[in-house]
């Protein structure tokens, strides 16, 4: 079939718009193809899912209980559903994906109120959390029940193990659970040189939204419970939350592939390296200012307003803050040095032409 | 990595348990692989999604508005969300998947009440629907707003075009929308020898849950609106419903492949033929009784209680009604004649041994 | 001010339409007036509420935890909210008020599925409940969690203490809670000659919706928890459920008045007696047939279709089943013998004229 | 019955804690008593409700559609339910009652996200609202749909008619509805010397939560729709929202009494006068600082931390901001000059003793 009049072009490219735009890693696609043999029981009661669960337990510790879901939004929302009743509230950064970029999915599905704390880094502190307390038992107020941390944050910055540990310790002392939105946990662990277990299980998390799609998967995320009793009814929450995959094996093997042979680490390290390289190059261009520390795979910088369009013709990216002319450049596991050099050249030329 | 102690076996087999258990059709997997090139915009604003949408419009008519989602449950629930407010009710068969097999996802997400009508065939009639009316404007009662038809039904039976047309006509006259759960619409169209458009667009449907996963896809379904105004805010409903895929292209190309080169029809016809063959063979075995008409890819029959386990060791299937010892055998696009003969032989031997 | 053109007449009358139509009992109004002195803390932290709670504990046992709410619907819905998560289901009679007459408020607020069991009496049995079980742990199915009994039923019939005890015993053995919709518990206790405690606390109930408005209150109901741990967060559920009265004292003193000096019993006995009298008289009229046993304050009978309008001009009542020409006559604490005789005379005359 | 061991005292007092603590105005109680004659149809289809509706239309204009509810929280939540779908957002002040003091009832019932704007006065401006726009059609973001204004604000300050008119004009131009939380609209109108109609109907409001309980009612509020099409299904929303009163007449006559003979105005003017007087007196006491303009019935002032307890022994009030030692004093329709003088004397003595 030929279809006339399509707007979009099929020509493959690399961009700096989002790690969501990247293709599936070859090893992950291989894993899908390998699992495509014969009938298996649907809904997760199959060999491949069992194998992937075993891999996750090897990675995060035997006590964790993993559940596969389709999206990061659902991993977050269903995690909160497991931890809360509707009169609870969830403390998070104002910039957290679940607060600003999920079209109210958490409120809709769980009924809770999100308390979005302002933070330039996207990180919140024990002091921030403590300031939200004080209405315990007041029937007029939502009762705080969960602290949700985004790792790495939407600004690409990382909580250290000590910071998470301190938050967990404080939270548990105040009868709060700790959830982590780990859509980009891989780049954080790569940047910090720590294992996935060291940054989750070992620092007191209760529940983790384990990402995947932003690190080379076709589309698979997981919810990991570190205290089995919290997972007790989660299969019903997942099904009622419309996130039970019938051909579960194809979610499972994606995650298994990512956690095998350190693929997650290789991918994340590369993305981080490309971001560092990009930032270093951009620093040298007069008229461009790196606006936030580059710890993982995001570079925030200002670009002269009048140059943005011409650069975007070559490499797609998003403007983060119109008022400051601040843009966000995201690298991915498949970003190449040529992409970085290409971007730098286009930007250099654009700004020079301007001058 | 070797993982010890797995319960499930990896050896590939064919079963009669569910069309959900089947693998991905080779053409579909090819389509996924072909789309895995370079970066594309996430969330559906890409070349592949545009192409798949065009294919759907070619199939169902230019006026339809399709949205891809992950699961059949979500296609149903989000369809209802688009058509209702929480004080509405939805008229369906008691056996409908959305009523009995979605763990309350419709009630949870939309707040509506489902009115499940008893029906031995899974089909409901204009008279059934009419009997639910009569409380219009009564503030104490949920207000009927949607009729949901399952095609083919959970018993494998088909609504004819005339039946759907009559229901649509009645429904619209009474200010009701008509939704179709088309998780298995393909086998119905194949059985009836009608096009997809003839059984949906042309008979007055408002919204269709278009299946895919049960007919050879890895995991992709779609919601199709036949009246564009109903789709106006659906992108927000989908996102808030946790069903917005970031790497949308990989859902889109699956559906495109299914609708290309009549793959849907080839697959469905084959599954139907295998069911017919299986039923014909089983009829000949003394002690087995076909309990429901076989129109599509499901065979319901009684098996002597004491023979069930031994047959299930060779070919997995589900007992539908314990009290009647009635079982359900589902064929799939990849069921082979050898599977059918194998099953018949095992069953024959089992029942003979019994005698 | 004179207001022109009102449709309704202010002339006071007694009717047989509903015990909701009756005025406030004089003692209850006196209690309201008496409580109207000075400022008290809002939201229940006041002398009058404390006194009413003490009265309830005297009546139902010291362990119960009562919470006042505005309506019977909210007492039911918030009871269920305290006992369930959204993936649960609630087993009740199809005729139960919460299933058919609350516009889907239970589904909307709690997300649960109601399983409405057919029953000519409105009563459900252990066998009925048992038939709903069997899907424990199946992720596709709502999980039964609550049995809700309506006492007296919507047909005016009573569960005995033994019946409730047997249901409680069975339910608790299967990890189900037992809730009672006691909107008309008073007429049931009066009919059975048992105390309120004997029919609730002592037979194993977990939660009671304690009525009031149908037995002479202006508008006050209560949710009573018989196991304090179930009440732990209920104040938040009540507030989030929009049922926290600011001037709580005026709800509290109504319930206190009803439970003082056996007012509840006097009212209920009288209503029951009027129903018995009415039924006895109607039995004598050729052409009228009592269709259901009269145990409390409801008389169901057939009336010739052509006589209904003329009788309704004198005494309002509702047709229950159009197809059978079956009507429902409800007596109230303020129904007089003259009302009964008047109705009988009008009916006699109407049917005679017909002859 | 004597009940031992009650914590609270029955001795009547006046306080400055809240206008919710005040008793029912005598005229309102008279209206309730007068309506307590005979049977009337339940649920609002009665003479008294019809009469009250007529009175409301006289007050606010014939086009308005009023619905009675029990609480201010429910008036707010159900108003929003009528105006929104769950993917919408509601723009309000951070201090708005619906944002901070309703235990998440809006989120729970409607699913929307509240956008709480910081404001020292509790008032929001066109510029504030404009800053929330800009994500129209972005599927990741809740879509702003309602602006909710609190009149008077939780700090006792008033929007002028011009301010409301400008907000309405802007809102409607941007496809937003304007809702007013008028729990204390009476004191605002009294302060501004404007009619209720002038401050609502005439300045473009779409929906009003009309208070009552804070201005002398026992417990009755109303939702008023100024565009009838918005009210079309509201009776179902109200019932499903558990706010349909069975003995509706007793809500209706309260509101009718408040709107008759300018009772609302007399009450509100008096409360405002008492607040002005109190503020004027407190200004004279060294060590006390009035912290916010006193426009209606609230006085915010600092009190030395060490004096608060002794003053609260005589007159109850709440500390608003612990860190600033700022307290809130609320006057009511029944606050007397003696109360004001008494408070001033106690405060003077307490602070002098301190010195």
């Amino acid at each position: 079939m030929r279809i006339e009049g399509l707007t979009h072009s099929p020509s493959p490219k690399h961009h700096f718009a989002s790690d969501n735009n990247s293709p599936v890693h070859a090893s992950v696609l291989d894993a899908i193809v390998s699992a495509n043999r014969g009938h298996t029981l649907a809904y997760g009661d199959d060999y491949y899912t069992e194998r992937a669960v075993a891999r996750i337990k090897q990675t995060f510790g035997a006590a964790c209980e993993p559940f596969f879901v389709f999206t990061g939004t659902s991993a977050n929302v269903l995690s909160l559903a497991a931890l809360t009743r509707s009169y609870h509230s969830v403390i998070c950064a104002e910039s957290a994906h679940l607060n600003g970029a999920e079209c109210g999915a958490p409120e809709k599905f769980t009924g809770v109120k999100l308390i979005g704390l302002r933070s330039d880094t996207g990180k919140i502190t024990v002091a921030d959390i403590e300031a939200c307390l004080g209405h315990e038992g007041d029937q007029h107020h939502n009762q705080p029940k969960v602290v949700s941390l985004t790792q790495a944050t939407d600004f690409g910055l990382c909580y250290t193990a000590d910071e998470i540990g301190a938050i967990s310790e404080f939270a548990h002392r105040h009868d709060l659970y700790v959830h982590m939105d780990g859509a980009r946990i891989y780049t954080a662990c790569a940047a910090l040189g720590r294992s996935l277990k060291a940054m989750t299980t070992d620092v007191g998390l209760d529940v983790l939204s384990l990402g995947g799609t932003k690190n080379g998967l076709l589309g698979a995320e997981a919810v990991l419970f570190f205290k089995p009793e919290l997972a007790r009814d989660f299969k019903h929450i997942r099904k009622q939350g419309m996130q039970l995959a019938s051909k579960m094996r194809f979610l499972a093997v994606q995650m298994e592939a990512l956690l095998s042979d350190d693929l997650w680490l290789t991918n994340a390290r590369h993305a981080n390296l490309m971001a560092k390289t990009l930032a270093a190059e951009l620093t040298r261009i007069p008229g461009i200012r790196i606006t936030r520390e580059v710890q993982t795979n995001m570079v925030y910088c200002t670009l002269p307003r009048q140059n943005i369009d011409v650069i975007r013709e070559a490499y797609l990216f998003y403007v983060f803050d119109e008022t400051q002319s601040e843009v966000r450049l995201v690298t991915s596991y498949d970003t190449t040095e040529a992409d970085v050099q290409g971007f730098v050249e286009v930007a250099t030329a654009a700004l020079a032409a301007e001058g």
Side-chain angles (χ1 to χ4, degrees), chain A residues 18-24 213-217 332-334:
Chain A
S18 172
D19 32 18
N20 279 319
N21 293 8
S22 61
V24 185
T213 313
K214 292 182 198 300
N215 198 20
L217 301 194
S332 176
Y333 79 90
D334 69 331

Side-chain angles (χ1 to χ4, degrees), chain A residues 69-105:
Chain A
V69 296
F70 295 105
T71 67
T73 292
S74 59
N76 285 339
V77 171
L78 300 188
S79 292
L80 298 185
L83 298 177
T84 60
R85 298 294 310 253
S86 58
Y87 47 84
H88 287 140
S89 58
V90 173
I91 299 167
C92 60
E94 195 178 42
S95 60
H97 196 269
L98 65 88
N99 189 47
E102 298 182 350
C103 199

Side-chain angles (χ1 to χ4, degrees), chain A residues 34-324:
Chain A
S34 297
N36 195 40
R37 304 188 311 154
H39 282 217
T40 63
L41 281 178
Y43 305 117
D45 198 16
D46 70 89
Y47 167 73
Y48 300 99
T49 304
E50 196 179 9
R51 214 175 61 185
V53 165
R55 169 63 80 192
I56 293 175
K57 286 172 177 273
Q58 282 190 338
T59 308
F60 288 91
C64 86
E65 295 283 344
F67 295 81
F68 299 107
V69 296
F70 295 105
T71 67
T73 292
S74 59
N76 285 339
V77 171
L78 300 188
S79 292
L80 298 185
L83 298 177
T84 60
R85 298 294 310 253
S86 58
Y87 47 84
H88 287 140
S89 58
V90 173
I91 299 167
C92 60
E94 195 178 42
S95 60
H97 196 269
L98 65 88
N99 189 47
E102 298 182 350
C103 199
E107 289 92 339
K108 166 71 175 171
F109 193 77
T110 70
V112 302
K113 182 179 276 287
L114 301 180
I115 302 176
L117 303 174
R118 306 204 175 169
S119 161
D120 284 342
T121 59
K123 292 167 64 176
I124 58 177
T125 66
V126 167
D128 292 333
I129 298 165
E130 191 160 22
C132 296
L133 306 182
H135 290 292
E136 288 74 19
D138 179 343
Q139 61 189 334
H140 300 278
H141 284 78
N142 294 74
Q143 301 291 297
K145 193 67 189 172
V146 180
V147 175
S148 180
L149 310 175
T150 309
Q151 174 83 317
T153 74
D154 296 80
F155 300 116
L157 301 176
C158 307
Y159 287 92
T160 66
D162 283 353
E163 287 169 339
I164 300 171
I167 288 173
S168 293
E169 194 277 330
F170 178 85
H172 293 151
R173 201 149 28 87
H174 290 82
D175 198 24
L176 302 168
Y177 293 117
V178 183
H179 165 257
M180 178 177 283
D181 177 352
R184 291 194 180 96
I185 190 175
Y186 306 106
T187 53
C189 286
L192 296 163
R194 305 295 295 266
S195 73
L196 288 164
K197 180 163 175 289
M199 297 304 294
T200 56
T201 320
D202 296 350
V203 286
L205 287 196
D206 296 293
V207 182
L208 170 68
S209 293
L210 179 64
T213 313
K214 292 182 198 300
N215 198 20
L217 301 194
L218 185 151
E221 317 269 320
V223 177
L224 269 65
F225 291 91
F226 297 106
K227 294 172 184 159
E229 69 274 18
L230 296 174
R232 214 171 34 204
D233 288 341
F234 191 73
K235 65 184 172 184
H236 300 296
I237 293 176
R238 179 174 64 178
K239 175 62 185 175
Q240 202 179 31
M242 305 179 276
Q243 290 292 322
L244 177 62
S246 88
K247 296 183 177 174
M248 184 71 84
R249 54 176 147 170
F250 299 112
L251 297 191
V253 296
Q254 292 181 57
M255 191 62 80
E256 186 190 25
L258 187 63
L259 298 181
S260 297
D261 303 323
D262 279 346
L263 178 60
W264 69 267
L265 182 58
T266 306
N267 282 357
R269 268 188 191 148
H270 178 78
N272 287 356
L273 176 63
M274 291 299 99
K276 289 270 189 212
T277 309
L278 179 60
E281 297 280 348
L282 294 179
T283 308
R284 295 199 197 108
I285 304 177
I288 294 182
R289 183 170 57 84
I290 304 295
T291 50
R292 300 167 196 267
E293 189 185 347
V294 177
Q295 293 185 351
T296 59
N297 69 326
M298 294 186 190
V299 177
Y300 282 85
C301 64
T302 56
L303 285 182
R305 212 173 301 271
Q306 64 276 18
N307 303 130
I308 288 180
D309 281 353
V310 67
I311 306 175
R312 283 178 73 165
E313 268 172 45
Y315 291 93
L316 202 65
F317 57 85
Y318 290 110
V319 175
F320 173 72
D321 181 346
E322 291 278 2
T323 65
Q324 307 298 319

